[in-house]
Amino acid sequence: MPNVLITGANRGIGLALTRLHAARGDHPIATCRQRSAELDASTAQVIDAIELSDPAAIARLREALGDIRLHRVMLNAGVLEREALEDLDGADAAAAIRKQFEINALAPLLLIAALREHLAPGARIGVLTSRMGSIADNSSGSYYGYRMSKAALNAAARSLALDLAPRKIAVFILHPGFVRTGMTGGRGEVTADESAAQLIARVDTLDAAHSGSFWHANGTPLPW
């Protein structure tokens, strides 16, 4: 039974990923800051009180995993703020952008670094990013912290793909689509379940030759 670590699993895409992996017979290990009734109702092993920007929490997660080997990791946890140019005056704007860097870009990188000995040979890592991290695809501006942090995450994921290649561990950089979740205020083109199914399919079907590449969940390659 493959072990699948899913971050940000208490709601939205993370919860959908957890349920779908459980339904197909995998062993989901669901991490979150605060557990939810929906997550508790799943068959996942839940590890809560995990704030991924906190090194002490990452250490607790590593301890909780014990000798478990991970066959798949879905890095889903993230945060979105909405800064326009006129919002960037003052310390509050800088703090909001810094928070997004810490949660969206730095935390996933440090998590994989901390758990690298738990990764089974041939493991697959799905890094949930956003096409808003694409420089070529930016045609509307604003969202400074989110765009910058996701571009940084994409760069980190590309380096991880190269550094983990000797162990045949593949890293796929995945945009989930415009998903109807709390983060998007319920707006979007697909449901969390639809997006999660597509994300799982991408990690299932992309091969090692695609490690470090950037994809829409629907299977379309995305520009950097």
Side-chain angles (χ1 to χ4, degrees), residues 5 52 55 57 59 78 80 83 91 120 143 161 169 195 202 212 217-218:
L5 180 71
L52 294 176
L80 166 66
E83 310 93 359
Y143 293 87
I169 296 171
S195 174
R202 297 288 75 72
N218 66 16

Side-chain angles (χ1 to χ4, degrees), residues 40 58 106 130 158 179 212:
D40 285 338
I58 292 180
L106 187 57
S130 171
R158 174 66 179 174
V179 187

Side-chain angles (χ1 to χ4, degrees), residues 20-157:
L20 289 175
H21 275 292
R24 71 183 204 165
D26 297 334
H27 173 225
I29 304 165
T31 77
C32 56
R33 289 181 298 169
Q34 185 173 359
R35 63 202 305 143
S36 65
E38 293 83 1
L39 182 58
D40 285 338
S42 74
T43 59
Q45 175 184 344
V46 179
I47 305 174
D48 64 355
I50 300 297
E51 170 54 72
L52 294 176
S53 61
D54 178 6
I58 292 180
R60 288 197 305 276
L61 173 57
R62 184 169 54 190
E63 182 178 358
L65 288 174
D67 60 359
I68 290 176
R69 303 285 274 178
L70 300 173
H71 303 97
R72 178 172 297 194
V73 179
M74 301 296 283
L75 296 170
N76 164 70
V79 63
L80 166 66
E81 304 286 348
R82 297 170 172 83
E83 310 93 359
L85 183 60
E86 57 269 21
D87 300 325
L88 297 183
D89 296 329
D92 288 347
I97 290 173
R98 189 173 296 111
K99 174 184 176 182
Q100 290 172 91
F101 264 99
E102 290 176 353
I103 295 174
N104 294 343
L106 187 57
L109 172 62
L110 295 182
L111 176 64
I112 293 301
L115 299 183
R116 61 189 182 276
E117 297 308 318
H118 286 272
L119 297 173
R124 290 174 169 239
I125 301 172
V127 179
L128 272 66
T129 182
S130 171
R131 69 187 306 165
M132 291 177 73
S134 166
I135 295 171
D137 193 58
N138 184 353
S139 60
S140 58
S142 294
Y143 293 87
Y144 286 89
Y146 192 71
R147 290 186 187 280
M148 294 162 64
S149 65
K150 290 298 188 178
L153 175 61
N154 293 353

